[in-house]
Every structure is written in structure tokens, then in C-alpha cells.
Amino acid sequence: MLKIAIDAMGGDFGPEPIIEGLITALKKNNNFTAIAVGNKEQLLQLIPPNFLSRIEILHTDDVISMSDSATDALKRKDSTIYKAIELVREGNADAVVSAGHSGASMSLATLRIGRIKGVSRPAIATLMPTSENQNTLVLDVGANVDSDAKNLFEFAVMGQVYAQYALRLDEPIVGLLSNGEEDSKGNEVTKEAYKLISKIPNFAGNVEGSDIFKGTVDVVVCDGFVGNILLKTAEGVADTIGKIIKKNLKRSLISIAGAVLMRKVFKNLKVRVDYAEYGGAPLLGVKAPVIIAHGKSNPKAIQNAIFQAINAASSNLDNIIEQRLAKYSSTQQEN
């Protein structure tokens, strides 16, 4: 049975939504137990007695706040995220979920759990909604401000493996984000990355930003600077569209009547663009699953982040990524 370590105090709203999401996940999945890291007295007030057999509490009072620097987490060994990461490092948990300081989670996971052999830098991946009934996995969306061609090649391999074994996609197609589809488009880094990634099966070549939301490919690769701007822009656009629709619906009785008739459509749209449906962003490239949830995560988001951690921990991702990187690297050396 899998054991998931939970940073129970790290979110913007304290432990309540995190524990509620954990309880919901436990109700829906009987194949895991959890270690909640945080203030024992507070957590016991939130956990129903009948769930204490499946939730172990590791007590600590220290929490890395969003205003702290990521380097603080390396020194504060009693913090919730440090202790949660250590549970995985020591083999007492199979994966970790945190809605706390993402920089601290990434730094600790990289240094304490360690990188997969062959990985230069980990990458944060996220799911983007598409016009089709699917999602596009995009990476990196913030772990690395600067990436070279080799990093982008590694991201492509890791993203394809995650899409295949964690998201259960058959032969996922990979695209490289650029300013045009032609081979000649892009800066020097993406042009060099194109040559390296072309050795990977199911590489579709360059894709543009609009392709992410069309579902043209399953995995889109970019550096963390571009990816983070893309992510924040997409969130802003979705929020703005929602506000525009609400504002215009109130202008006439006809609009209100139409909205009533289209309730199901609006509900489906909300589900497609709601980050809570995806749970969190996996940090790919470390030796055990680390899921970084949004700081404002509600219980549903935490539940789905836990399910992501379970899927990743059940998929032997680290070994598969290591094998793929070794295979493709040897092929490039031969050529």
C-alpha cells in the first residue's frame, strides 16, 4: 500500500482545506495511507477519529511562508515541507504533496531526494485545457528561468514518459514551443533543441502557443521563463473571460434566460478551466513523485493532487525516465 506525505500546513488557507481534501481522497481510494506533517493539536481537530488508522501525524510547528526565501527551507529542518521531503528521502513515504512554498518544495526535493540519473535540472509540468476532450502537458512552467538545448531535450523525454505512464496516454506526441511551425523558426537554443528532440519517437516538431489549447500535441516543451508567463497568461485570460460573460449576462432578461438554458455549457466550461480539476504540478526529474499544488488549493484540488501522486508513485517513472535518457543519449553519441 502506498504512503503519501502531506505538507498539511503549507497552503494559503491553513490545514482545513488540505485535510478535507485528504479525507475525500481516502474515502475514494482505499489503496493508500497518509502522513500529515504539521501541528498535531490542530490536525487532530480536523481528522475524524475513524480516519486516524489511515492518517499518521508527524508533529512540527514550523511552516515556510510564501514571504520566506526558498533557501530558508534548507536551514529550517523542522519545517513541514522539510520533514515531508525527508519522509520520502528516507523511504518512509512514496510521494509528497505540498500546497506551500513552491520554490522551497523544488529546492528541497532536488537536494534531499536527488535528481534522476541523466537529468540536469528538474522541471515543473502542468496540464492545460484544450478544445478537445483532453489536456496538454506543458513543461517547464517555472523551475528554470534559463534552459539550454540539453535541458529542453530532457524535459521532452520526462514529459513523454509522464504522459504515457502517469496520464495513461498511448504514444504521446511531443512538440517544441516556438514562434512558428517551420524548422527554421526559434532562437538558437530551440533550434539546437529541435535537433536533439528529433531523435525521440512521436516528435511533431515546432508548435505555436495556440496549439497548446487546440490539443495538437500531448506534450509541449519550453523553458521555465516562457512557460511561467504562458501559465499566468492562460490563468488571467480564463478569469477575464469568466468575468466578461457574467457582466454581459446581467444586461438583459434575454441574456439571463439564455444563461439559464446554457447552464450545462457554462458548468462544463468552468470544469475545463478550473485548476482544482488537475490538482497540482508534478516536479519531474527527481527520484520520487513531488506534486506542487496551488497555494490557494481547495479540498478538491488537494484530493486531485493526491491522486496525481498516487498515479506517479505507481508508475515507476524514475526508472523509466533514466532508461529513456540513457537510450537516447547513446543514440545521439553514435550518430
Side-chain angles (χ1 to χ4, degrees):
M1 183 176 288
L2 292 174
K3 187 170 286 188
I4 310 299
I6 310 289
D7 177 1
M9 313 293 288
D12 292 355
F13 306 121
E16 288 86 355
I18 296 173
I19 295 301
E20 185 179 339
L22 172 57
I23 296 298
T24 305
L26 287 166
K27 288 178 179 176
K28 294 182 178 180
N29 189 319
N30 293 318
N31 297 319
F32 82 99
T33 60
I35 304 176
V37 185
N39 183 283
K40 187 171 185 178
E41 183 178 349
Q42 291 184 46
L43 297 183
L44 283 174
Q45 293 176 6
L46 301 171
I47 301 172
N50 57 313
F51 280 93
L52 289 174
S53 61
R54 294 181 64 189
I55 302 175
E56 178 185 340
I57 298 175
L58 179 59
H59 175 76
T60 184
D61 287 318
D62 189 22
V63 181
I64 303 294
S65 70
M66 298 301 180
S67 60
D68 292 326
S69 69
T71 54
D72 287 342
L74 303 175
K75 307 169 188 175
R76 290 162 59 177
K77 297 184 179 182
D78 285 328
S79 68
T80 53
I81 184 56
Y82 194 104
K83 284 184 172 291
I85 292 289
E86 284 298 290
L87 287 170
V88 175
R89 179 177 181 268
E90 295 168 357
N92 295 318
D94 301 289
V96 62
V97 173
S98 175
H101 196 303
S102 58
S105 299
M106 184 185 70
S107 298
L108 283 170
T110 303
L111 294 173
R112 302 301 296 168
I113 297 175
R115 297 191 305 268
I116 296 170
K117 184 178 179 180
V119 173
S120 305
R121 297 181 181 180
I124 299 175
T126 193
L127 290 169
M128 293 284 196
T130 72
S131 55
E132 304 298 326
N133 188 27
Q134 62 185 56
N135 299 300
T136 302
L137 185 73
V138 182
L139 72 163
D140 177 26
V141 294
N144 307 281
V145 176
D146 296 303
S147 301
D148 59 24
K150 183 173 181 291
N151 298 144
L152 294 178
F153 161 72
E154 293 169 5
F155 298 165
V157 175
M158 294 190 293
Q160 191 174 61
V161 169
Y162 188 85
Q164 183 175 356
Y165 292 93
L167 302 180
R168 307 289 193 265
L169 298 180
D170 293 330
E171 299 183 350
I173 300 170
V174 178
L176 177 64
L177 188 62
S178 188
N179 62 334
E181 296 179 353
E182 298 82 4
D183 299 0
S184 59
K185 290 295 180 70
N187 56 27
E188 293 304 314
V189 173
T190 56
K191 288 177 183 178
E192 182 63 27
Y194 187 104
K195 297 175 184 177
L196 298 177
I197 301 173
S198 63
K199 309 297 181 182
I200 298 174
N202 299 319
F203 175 52
N206 288 335
V207 295
E208 299 179 1
S210 59
D211 290 306
I212 294 171
F213 306 99
K214 292 176 184 176
T216 307
V217 296
D218 301 301
V219 179
V220 171
V221 176
C222 58
D223 69 48
F225 180 78
V226 172
N228 193 259
I229 292 174
L230 166 68
L231 176 63
K232 299 295 174 57
T233 302
E235 290 176 347
V237 169
D239 184 58
T240 300
I241 289 174
K243 289 178 180 178
I244 292 173
I245 291 174
K246 288 180 181 178
K247 186 175 181 180
N248 282 275
L249 287 177
K250 296 176 182 178
R251 288 185 172 177
S252 70
L253 291 174
I254 295 176
S255 296
I256 294 172
V260 172
L261 295 173
M262 294 184 67
R263 277 182 301 180
K264 187 174 181 180
V265 174
F266 290 137
K267 184 178 180 181
N268 290 338
L269 175 62
K270 185 177 184 298
V271 168
R272 296 291 293 143
V273 300
D274 187 1
Y275 72 86
E277 295 293 326
Y278 311 112
L283 179 64
L284 302 182
V286 293
K287 293 179 180 178
V290 176
I291 306 298
I292 300 173
H294 200 293
K296 292 180 172 59
S297 289
N298 59 23
K300 186 174 186 179
I302 296 298
Q303 168 204 281
N304 289 328
I306 291 169
F307 289 158
Q308 273 206 60
I310 292 170
N311 287 338
S314 304
S315 303
N316 195 30
L317 291 176
D318 54 340
N319 288 329
I320 299 171
I321 288 171
E322 182 178 336
Q323 292 168 8
R324 291 272 181 96
L325 285 171
K327 175 184 175 182
Y328 297 144
S329 295
S330 63
T331 300
Q332 289 171 1
Q333 290 174 1
E334 291 172 2
N335 294 335

